[in-house]
Amino acid sequence: MANGKVVTKEEWLRSILKVLRDGLVPFVLEEFKEKYPDRYLDELRQSLSANGSRYVADFENENDFIQKADSQACMAIIRDNHPYMFRKLDSATIEYVKELIKYRNDLAHERPVGDPVPYRAAAIAALVLHKAGNMELYEEASRLAARIQQGNGHDVEESEPQQNEVQPEVKITLNREMNEDFDSEGTTAPIHLYWMEVRYKDGRTEKMLLPLSAAKRRVILGRSGVTSDVALEDMQVSRVHAQVILNGDGSLSVADLHSGNGTYLDGLRLTANMPATWNPEKALVIGCTELRLTDAG
């Protein structure tokens, strides 16, 4: 192929993990410095020792850590320390960090990479980087997801961009894209990847990826990051407020869980424990917060 090459799924995944690594290293350092200003390097070593990193005590100073830290180390540190720090990452995002660790380990052990994995990994990496506050690399991960999506998740031909060539802007549409996930038996099953836009009373908006999978078909919405899968910053939301259910046909339902202030779908209050269909045309209101299914971008 002239002026081009085929990018394999493994190469896509390596590129995504490189972007993720470049974004998470400064984030991890910043969080540890804030919590342990006088001993952050020692705390990093202790955390790495606990999760069995391959370079446990090899780094001598901060620059050495920056050079040697890989995506696995950063994600393992976040996973193991999230109850005590990394407050920017909610419980749903931590679940996606764990999923990215699985993809990284599959790649490291030369296990087969399924067609949807690079796209899903890029979308989740973008979410994590956005939560970590690294907008530049969030955009880079989003661009990777868009390029993979153009190839439908398969190997695609990549042409070298010509100098001064204007690259078209690609909008990523992540919800309702068919993906592959693993159920509890280790077999594969089709799932849908859903995003939602969260609109708070003060005007803030936030994009969240619902942590649904073939093995996890119910997600709890609530105020507490301990008792819910998706934590919302709204004092009118109960600690365990409502649940979103992934149905067998890939559609979503929502049910109130005896919340104090009720759950409203398309303006109607839901009866507790009675699921109702939720689609992008219907606004879901819990407390003072409005949730809508949406594309990411």
Side-chain angles (χ1 to χ4, degrees):
M1 284 173 285
N3 300 322
K5 64 178 181 177
V6 172
V7 181
T8 67
K9 295 183 286 291
E10 290 78 11
E11 288 170 330
W12 276 127
L13 197 48
R14 287 190 189 95
S15 298
I16 294 160
L17 291 170
K18 171 68 166 57
V19 172
L20 189 66
R21 179 257 178 218
D22 291 347
L24 290 185
V25 166
F27 174 62
V28 167
L29 274 173
E30 177 186 350
E31 294 291 299
F32 266 77
K33 282 182 177 180
E34 183 176 342
K35 188 166 183 65
Y36 309 108
D38 300 324
R39 62 180 198 281
Y40 67 95
L41 289 177
D42 289 336
E43 292 293 337
L44 278 170
R45 291 189 186 96
Q46 182 176 339
S47 180
L48 289 168
S49 299
N51 66 55
S53 173
R54 60 180 173 79
Y55 64 94
V56 173
D58 282 350
F59 63 92
E60 298 178 358
N61 51 47
E62 183 176 317
N63 288 334
D64 199 23
F65 172 79
I66 292 171
Q67 293 298 317
K68 292 181 176 180
D70 58 11
S71 60
Q72 179 196 29
C74 292
M75 290 189 291
I77 289 170
I78 290 170
R79 177 198 64 198
D80 295 343
N81 292 275
H82 73 89
Y84 313 104
M85 62 176 67
F86 303 111
R87 303 292 177 140
K88 294 178 183 178
L89 308 183
D90 56 27
S91 58
T93 310
I94 297 300
E95 290 303 312
Y96 284 109
V97 168
K98 294 176 183 177
E99 185 173 343
L100 287 168
I101 290 173
K102 178 190 180 305
Y103 295 151
R104 181 266 168 204
N105 289 342
D106 285 347
L107 181 67
H109 292 93
E110 299 183 350
R111 300 187 188 107
V113 175
D115 283 342
V117 166
Y119 173 70
R120 184 175 175 88
I124 295 172
L127 172 73
V128 173
L129 291 166
H130 188 281
K131 289 282 190 179
N134 193 320
M135 301 310 295
E136 182 179 350
L137 291 176
Y138 154 73
E139 291 173 358
E140 178 62 22
S142 298
R143 283 193 291 269
L144 280 169
R147 287 162 61 190
I148 296 167
Q149 187 183 46
Q150 284 182 307
N152 297 320
H154 297 276
D155 297 354
V156 297
E157 181 181 350
E158 285 288 298
S159 298
E160 294 294 330
Q162 301 297 316
Q163 191 171 6
N164 299 325
E165 180 181 354
V166 177
Q167 298 298 313
E169 182 178 351
V170 180
K171 178 177 175 59
I172 311 173
T173 54
L174 295 181
N175 67 314
R176 298 191 303 282
E177 288 292 328
M178 190 63 75
N179 289 271
E180 190 176 71
D181 204 356
F182 298 92
D183 62 21
S184 59
E185 306 258 328
T187 57
T188 59
I191 66 164
H192 297 280
L193 192 60
Y194 281 97
W195 290 74
M196 63 180 183
E197 183 178 77
V198 180
R199 208 171 273 189
Y200 292 105
K201 185 179 180 180
D202 61 8
R204 288 180 299 129
T205 61
E206 186 176 5
K207 293 284 179 65
M208 290 186 180
L209 189 56
L210 284 166
L212 294 162
S213 70
K216 184 178 178 60
R217 293 183 171 270
R218 295 174 184 265
V219 167
I220 304 298
L221 307 178
R223 189 178 73 249
S224 170
V226 176
T227 56
S228 61
D229 300 299
V230 177
L232 301 169
E233 300 174 20
D234 183 344
M235 294 305 295
Q236 300 303 310
V237 172
S238 300
R239 291 181 59 185
V240 176
H241 196 110
Q243 68 176 344
V244 180
I245 304 158
L246 177 63
N247 301 314
D249 61 359
S251 64
L252 296 185
S253 296
V254 63
D256 181 78
L257 297 177
H258 296 278
S259 63
N261 292 315
T263 300
Y264 294 81
L265 184 63
D266 206 23
L268 300 176
R269 183 164 182 161
L270 299 181
T271 302
N273 293 326
M274 293 291 290
T277 301
W278 186 26
N279 57 45
E281 287 71 43
K282 296 180 179 180
L284 178 67
V285 177
I286 63 176
C288 298
T289 302
E290 180 182 285
L291 311 175
R292 281 187 179 271
L293 295 173
T294 182
D295 294 338

